[in-house]
Amino acid sequence: MQVLVTGCAGFIGSHVTEALLESGAAVHGVDSLSTNYDPETKRRNLDGAREWDSFTFAELDLATARVEPLLAECDAVVHLAAEPGVRPSWGSRFDVYVANNVVATQRVLEAAKEHPERRIVFASSSSVYGHAETFPTPESARPRPFSPYGVTKLAAEHLCSLYGENYGVETVSLRLFSVYGPRQRPDMAFHRFCRAALEGTQVTVYGDGLQTRDFTFVADVVAAVRAALASPVAPGSVYNVGGGSQVALVDAIDLIAELAGRPIEIEKVPAAAGDVRATGADVTRARGDLGYSPAASLEEGLAAQLAWTEGARPAPATGAFT
Ligand SMILES: NC(=O)c1ccc[n+]([C@@H]2O[C@H](COP(=O)([O-])OP(=O)(O)OC[C@H]3O[C@@H](n4cnc5c(N)ncnc54)[C@H](O)[C@@H]3O)[C@@H](O)[C@H]2O)c1
């Protein structure tokens, strides 16, 4: 089996790539090494994959490069390439979000029309829900994004569903909820909190810190992606992939401080535009159709991320995103 992994040098992409290689698949990874954070960090994310002869890599931008040859040569696609992050999606950077999240996805799907039997697993996001109507939130809840980022992920997810319904392209969208673990992006909360705990520096918390998130360990996301590649589900299907708990940010900080054996000093700043109060996944559908069952507790996952942070070479967060 040859799998095309887009965004393979990113946080989640590098884990998915390694897991597929370990399972015996050949992986062709593509990534533009975009500058949402240091491209050197992304190159390092590929160190593990590069040890495999069954891994090949091409640096390219899916919003502009020829995508057809990539689709012609693979049996399945895991489409993770995107511009992530809620807060920077306002203002002039919106163009980047549209290009990397909407245009790039549409181009992958156009190429897939020629090979509709190839499974395409798309990384959607909990941000499509915005201020959700119910908790835990089922897939049937009305999506109402609260950020420009969420709008682009919902647009891409709709594209996946309609190429499924119109052309039979075997798309499956996974709505991922706040993913964390080793190699997490430097702009993300747990990355900054782990660093602060180890370095004794202050962290910035947006809002009162009582906002809750359904945090999902990256290995559970990898398991969901692999199940979505293999399960016989209808083209255009959508699934929540959450970690199984709703935790307030301040409680997660306390847990990181406890694991690190050092208090974390918090500076509270006003809530950021686009941030929602709570997220919480109802994973009943994924459990039934994909056999998905999150395995990592928050404590285990954070211990793994702290250990990684301790061993990682310094990769300071880009100022704009902290
Ligand atoms: N991390 C999370 O909590 C989370 C939650 C929900 C959804 N997601 C989605 O999961 C996916 C991976 O997120 P991540 O956190 O690993 O982010 P990441 O930034 O670490 O990885 C994304 C990768 O895509 C690449 N990329 C961007 N635009 C591209 C293009 N046009 N062509 C080729 N490559 C391109 C980037 O260079 C980057 O390496 C994204 O689609 C994101 O929207 C992430």
Side-chain angles (χ1 to χ4, degrees):
M1 169 130 162
Q2 163 96 28
V3 185
L4 173 67
V5 179
T6 77
C8 67
F11 158 45
I12 300 171
S14 60
H15 286 280
V16 167
T17 297
E18 285 176 19
L20 289 172
L21 291 165
E22 276 157 24
S23 75
V27 174
H28 183 51
V30 299
D31 199 298
S32 61
L33 304 180
S34 68
T35 55
N36 61 327
Y37 56 95
D38 187 356
E40 271 315 306
T41 303
K42 296 181 181 182
R43 286 200 178 88
R44 278 201 300 274
N45 285 345
L46 288 176
D47 284 352
R50 286 190 194 280
E51 287 175 13
W52 295 80
D53 292 338
S54 45
F55 176 69
T56 51
F57 174 68
E59 182 177 339
L60 57 81
D61 183 346
L62 292 164
T64 52
R66 279 197 68 224
V67 183
E68 291 75 14
L70 301 172
L71 266 291
E73 285 159 22
C74 69
D75 304 305
V77 181
V78 182
H79 179 42
L80 301 164
E83 185 73 13
V86 165
R87 291 183 205 116
S89 67
W90 301 98
S92 60
R93 276 185 71 79
F94 186 62
D95 284 358
V96 180
Y97 281 78
V98 172
N100 290 343
N101 300 359
V102 184
V103 176
T105 301
Q106 185 267 353
R107 296 181 88 246
V108 168
L109 293 166
E110 270 299 309
K113 260 168 45 183
E114 304 305 316
H115 314 278
E117 73 290 352
R118 294 189 187 164
R119 173 56 52 88
I120 300 193
V121 179
F122 169 65
S124 184
S125 167
S126 58
S127 63
V128 303
Y129 291 118
H131 294 294
E133 292 166 337
T134 48
F135 294 99
T137 310
E139 292 84 350
S140 55
R142 188 162 66 98
R144 228 167 27 128
F146 192 58
S147 66
Y149 166 69
V151 167
T152 62
K153 293 305 285 188
L154 183 59
E157 186 192 293
H158 280 323
L159 284 166
C160 288
S161 296
L162 63 89
Y163 274 79
E165 288 155 16
N166 283 275
Y167 295 105
V169 179
E170 287 275 345
T171 59
V172 180
S173 293
L174 303 179
R175 292 178 175 166
L176 310 181
F177 282 65
S178 301
V179 188
Y180 72 100
R183 300 185 210 138
Q184 192 189 42
R185 299 193 326 263
D187 57 296
M188 294 188 75
F190 285 0
H191 183 116
R192 296 187 292 113
F193 298 163
C194 286
R195 225 168 241 291
L198 295 170
E199 293 168 2
T201 49
Q202 200 181 49
V203 294
T204 302
V205 168
Y206 295 90
D208 58 12
L210 298 176
Q211 61 270 44
T212 59
R213 291 289 177 272
D214 190 331
F215 294 106
T216 315
F217 189 56
V218 67
D220 287 325
V221 172
V222 168
V225 168
R226 292 187 59 192
L229 280 170
S231 305
V233 299
S237 300
V238 175
Y239 294 97
N240 284 339
V241 174
S245 59
Q246 274 181 280
V247 180
L249 212 54
V250 285
D251 292 336
I253 292 173
D254 283 349
L255 183 51
I256 293 171
E258 196 183 309
L259 289 167
R262 185 177 206 167
I264 301 176
E265 201 189 323
I266 298 174
E267 185 206 10
K268 287 187 181 157
V269 299
D275 277 353
V276 295
R277 192 71 189 151
T279 66
D282 180 341
V283 298
T284 308
R285 190 188 284 181
R287 187 180 298 120
D289 290 3
L290 306 178
Y292 173 70
S293 176
S297 69
L298 188 62
E299 189 164 355
E300 288 164 339
L302 280 176
Q305 183 161 355
L306 257 179
W308 171 79
T309 308
E310 210 158 12
R313 280 174 273 177
T318 318
F321 305 131
T322 53

